[in-house]
Amino acid sequence: MRIAFACLAVSVAATAPADEFPPHEKVLDGFEKVVSTADGDRSLWTVYTREKDGQVLLELPRTFEKAKYFVALTVASGNRFAGLQSGDLYVRWRRYDDKLVLIRPNVEIRSTGDDESKASVKRLFTDEVLLQLPIVTMGPQGGPVIDGDMLFVDESARFYGQPMVDRRFREIFKLQSSKAFPKNIEIAFEVTSPTGRLQTLHYSVSEIKPNPGYKPRKADARIGYFTTAFSDYGKYDDDDSRTRFINRWHVEKADDGLSMSPPKEPIVFYIEHTTPVRYRRWVRAGVLAWNKAFENIGVSDAIEVRYQDASSGAHMEKDPEDVRYNFVRWLNNDIGTAIGPSRVDPLTGQILDADIILTDGWIRYFKFQFEDLLPEIATEGFDAETLAWLGTRPRWNPHVRLAPPSERERIAAAFAERARTPLGGMEAARRETDLLGDDLLDGLVGRVSQVNGLCLAARSLGFDVATMRLQLAAIAAGSEDDADEGSEDEDEPDEAKIDGMPESFVGPLLANLVAHEVGHTLGLRHNFKGSALYDFDQMNSGDFDADVLASTVMDYVPTNIRVGSGDQQGPYVSKGIGPYDMWAIEYGYGPKSELDEVLARVAEPELQFATDEDTTGPDPLARRYDFGSDPLAYAKEQIRLAEFHRARLLTSYVEDGESWSKARQGYAVTLSLQTRAVSMMANWIGGAFVYRDKKGDPGERAPIEVVDAATQRDALNFVLESSFRDEAYGLTPELLRHLAAEKWLDGENWMAAFNDATWPVHDRVSGLQASVLTMLMNPTTLRRVYDNEFTVGADTDAVTLPELLASVRDEVWGELSAEAEGDYSARRPFVSSLRRNLQREHLSRLTDLVTTDPAGRPAANAISELARQDLRDLAEGLAGAEERLGDVLDPYTRAHWADCRDLIERSLDAGVVYGGFGGPTVLQFRFGQETGAGGI
């Protein structure tokens, strides 16, 4: 019906003079005008709907060609992330005879210079045509009328940047809602998605008018704001030709004469009625936490919170997708996600609207497969150079090594393909500019106005909730023991719990998460140096009375959980915002006249800043999920925590009547704790602190400061001891016999039913140890160590490449210098099976370093030479150990060492085999691997 109607309109218009169309009385027959205001005010566009078939007609105002419109997109249902902003467009209409064309103006390249440069830019950098529609008729108010469902359903791909409607069912759609207000229209259609699932596409259209009261504010690299940026071809100074404004709300005092004044217009957030009542007060606390920062600049109650409530009807008339309202939305989707994107005027950086999405998956942690998280933890901070390297070396790649054997070939092939893309396949190169939320740098790259496109803060909390459940089980078991002995606290009431956890834990955790996302909606980016405010022992001392554990809520700060009941337990999480947050709001929203004074504080320890793109750099404090100014103390605590709970998995964690698969899951949590600690400390080796200070800033700090050698050595020793020794994994025959797996052929994880029921001890430990070798011996880390030797100068102590490689070698091959104690046999080998796997892995790494083409990478020459010398030293060590130990060796160790000597001899004889810069080599060795890109 709709298509036929549209074709009729086109045929009539094509044969008629430009201003002659079918009379609107005839075209609008059967349509009802949508009136959404009590006083019947004229709406932005006039919306007409026909109930019987869901047809929509839109009448634009007569002055439509002078207006600029903002179209905000939301997938409102039919998706696990329904409600999440899907992007936005800044557009205008232009009439061509009997058609309207929707155009996206060029705002990326502008000129603020002389008239000649403005004319040139206008001629060279033109606007983009998105789509065309026929004019159906001229409406009662004199404006052109277009087919609304043709615009928003048929052309949905032009808005969302990808197909949104299944071609097989393109005629099956339903008008879900339509509202017309003076400043905006809200229209939603239910359509069939390309996967065949019904979903709702919501469009919010509003006009962007110049706001003479709003003054854009220049961005500064020392403070982390999302930006609106453009190239100004009217300027010729490098510092001026790229203009960056921070994204911020228009917040100003109602009375400038008062030292403390309410705002002219507060930022109001509505907490959606889907938010569980038990969590609402904590969501509210997280939103309002930011008022402290605005009070610091003299604005009281800058942010307000109102509850939408279905039972009372309060604010139920407000749509979360309506751009006039800012909502905190709650999704029950089993996925641990939270995100705080905003919609921004692309000309000025003024924030127009923001919605926060919270999901429940991080609370219901048990749905999460923690073993799937291990590769992400193991590769945290890897840069483009290392990712490209891993693409051609599957044996080095934690994503491959930690995957089930049946999946490794597929994953290796995917990484090999990805490694050939820009930045070695980093997510920065894979991001989409239109649809937010599926890649790490979504919202940051390829946009004029940046927004928070993806946030992983909730995933970190899911990890912490899992750890707390281990802790609660241990506490409960201890309480039962105390009860048997007669506890003095028998009459003490039980603490209130929410969803099985103490409210004193999960409530502040949620409030902190909400505050993090609200910070994004205020314009703030992540600050991954925020966790280095206090040292770990200080936070857990009896006299610690601070409200915050970090300098900012914009970091991913792990929850502060201590081992056992005997240690002092400090606050689990920060309560409120930190000093960096106060400083950032002062810069973004305080008086412009005081900005130089604000920036002069850049060297203060609590104001250090590093964001997403810094996490792949050399600064070990610019990391996600680290904690404290001395992360080594926190890392050691994580290992103690893992050991503490491993010892209790079979006794207190799994209760009577529960599946033993819970023990397997609990062990996976402890393995994740261990891997996160090791990965965090591996980042310190070859590290250098990076500061964003500018010349002339107080303190005159150099922007790069190499981490001192003693700290690097401590980190290296921790990594080696926590990874390469058998006892580091706490595995016993009793524990292994209970690491069972439940198998169900339902749900999304049904393929796990075909995994082996026994825990793959050798495969998993070898994969983890291989991942740690990758952390220490990847090209980026080795290059940084090599470069740092030169940076600090010969008169200063430094960790050198020979020292790093020798430290790894000595730890892996410690048995070569060990004395024999007792009798050894196949049942009691001198070198355990786990250690034999580790030694083979280390040899394959050295061989790869020896036989890699060094072209284009000067550090590779030194690395190759040192690796070759390591192989010579190992050959001598193996020969000496075999001669010294003689007949004491068991069959496994004797055969293993003989094979290792054979491999070393052949690899040293092979010489350098070239395979292109960073590419695979082709030398074939035993142990089922090929150096470079070969077998897995």
Side-chain angles (χ1 to χ4, degrees), residues 21 158 181 287 310 322 325 353 386 405 432 492 524 856 902:
F21 297 94
R158 301 298 297 164
F181 303 101
V287 177
D322 190 333
Y325 306 113
D353 163 66
T386 298
E432 296 171 346
E492 190 173 298
L524 297 184
D902 182 51

Side-chain angles (χ1 to χ4, degrees), residues 269-281:
F269 279 96
Y270 294 87
I271 297 177
E272 192 178 22
H273 69 93
T274 55
T275 306
V277 174
R278 59 189 179 278
Y279 290 122
R280 289 183 187 179
R281 74 182 184 97

Side-chain angles (χ1 to χ4, degrees), residues 289-327:
W290 286 93
N291 273 337
K292 181 179 179 181
F294 284 97
E295 289 168 3
N296 185 52
I297 58 172
V299 182
S300 63
D301 301 313
I303 302 176
E304 296 180 2
V305 173
R306 295 165 192 168
Y307 292 116
Q308 186 187 58
D309 186 71
S311 59
S312 67
H315 302 294
M316 290 300 294
E317 77 283 0
K318 297 178 176 67
D319 287 334
E321 290 85 6
D322 190 333
V323 294
R324 295 178 299 168
Y325 306 113
N326 312 303
F327 265 81

Side-chain angles (χ1 to χ4, degrees), residues 518-837:
V518 172
H520 284 317
T521 67
L522 295 175
L524 297 184
R525 291 195 61 188
H526 290 126
N527 179 5
F528 292 122
K529 278 195 173 182
S531 58
L533 182 59
Y534 301 110
D535 67 54
F536 191 68
D537 290 336
Q538 181 183 5
M539 288 182 280
N540 290 286
S541 64
D543 58 356
F544 184 77
D545 59 359
D547 290 331
V548 297
L549 303 179
S551 66
T552 175
V553 295
M554 303 313 298
D555 201 343
Y556 297 164
V557 182
T559 303
N560 177 31
I561 300 176
R562 297 301 304 272
V563 174
S565 58
D567 294 324
Q568 179 72 34
Q569 173 66 62
Y572 290 122
V573 67
S574 292
K575 297 178 180 177
I577 62 174
Y580 169 84
D581 304 319
M582 303 279 287
W583 184 57
I585 292 299
E586 188 176 5
Y587 178 81
Y589 293 86
K592 183 178 181 181
S593 59
E594 299 176 6
L595 295 187
D596 289 340
E597 183 179 342
V598 172
L599 290 170
R601 299 177 56 201
V602 65
E604 295 179 15
E606 64 269 25
L607 304 183
Q608 301 312 294
F609 166 63
T611 192
D612 296 85
E613 55 268 30
D614 298 310
T615 59
T616 59
D619 195 329
L621 292 176
R623 290 292 179 266
R624 305 175 182 92
Y625 318 120
D626 63 347
F627 200 18
S629 57
D630 179 15
L632 181 58
Y634 173 69
K636 290 179 177 178
E637 183 73 10
Q638 295 293 283
I639 296 298
R640 287 194 291 269
L641 197 61
E643 293 171 346
F644 177 83
H645 289 301
R646 281 171 185 163
R648 290 159 177 78
L649 289 175
L650 305 185
T651 55
S652 62
Y653 187 58
V654 182
E655 299 179 1
D656 290 347
E658 292 185 321
S659 169
W660 283 112
S661 64
K662 187 178 178 183
R664 185 169 181 153
Q665 185 182 61
Y667 184 76
V669 176
T670 68
L671 210 56
S672 298
L673 287 170
Q674 178 180 350
T675 306
R676 186 163 71 171
V678 169
S679 174
M680 177 177 67
M681 295 317 301
N683 284 321
W684 284 75
I685 300 157
F689 303 118
V690 179
Y691 305 111
R692 289 174 172 251
D693 305 33
K694 296 184 178 180
K695 186 174 182 179
D697 280 341
E700 294 288 347
R701 291 186 300 189
I704 298 172
E705 177 189 346
V706 174
V707 176
D708 67 273
T711 300
Q712 290 191 56
R713 291 187 183 111
D714 288 343
L716 177 58
N717 289 334
F718 171 84
V719 171
L720 297 176
E721 294 171 5
S722 303
S723 306
F724 294 160
R725 299 179 182 179
D726 289 1
E727 59 269 23
Y729 298 91
L731 292 167
T732 65
E734 182 71 9
L735 179 60
L736 285 169
R737 287 198 297 267
H738 287 84
L739 297 185
E742 277 196 323
K743 299 193 173 190
W744 298 99
L745 288 175
D746 55 28
E748 294 183 354
N749 198 40
W750 64 271
M751 285 191 292
F754 294 95
N755 292 340
D756 203 323
T758 59
W759 195 73
V761 53
H762 288 95
D763 205 58
R764 184 49 51 90
V765 173
S766 179
L768 287 168
Q769 291 177 331
S771 298
V772 175
L773 285 172
T774 299
M775 296 175 198
L776 298 176
M777 299 172 67
N778 69 74
T780 301
T781 296
L782 296 176
R783 174 181 53 77
R784 286 172 180 166
V785 170
Y786 191 54
D787 288 344
N788 283 351
E789 294 179 38
F790 195 85
T791 303
V792 300
D795 58 342
T796 303
D797 187 21
V799 173
T800 64
L801 268 181
E803 178 183 353
L804 171 58
L805 293 175
S807 296
V808 175
R809 180 194 66 218
D810 293 346
E811 180 64 38
V812 173
W813 297 89
E815 290 86 351
L816 296 184
S817 58
E819 296 296 331
E821 298 179 359
D823 297 328
Y824 296 96
S825 66
R827 294 295 297 125
R828 185 176 178 265
F830 184 67
V831 181
S832 72
S833 57
L834 297 181
R835 295 279 293 177
R836 294 197 300 270
N837 290 339

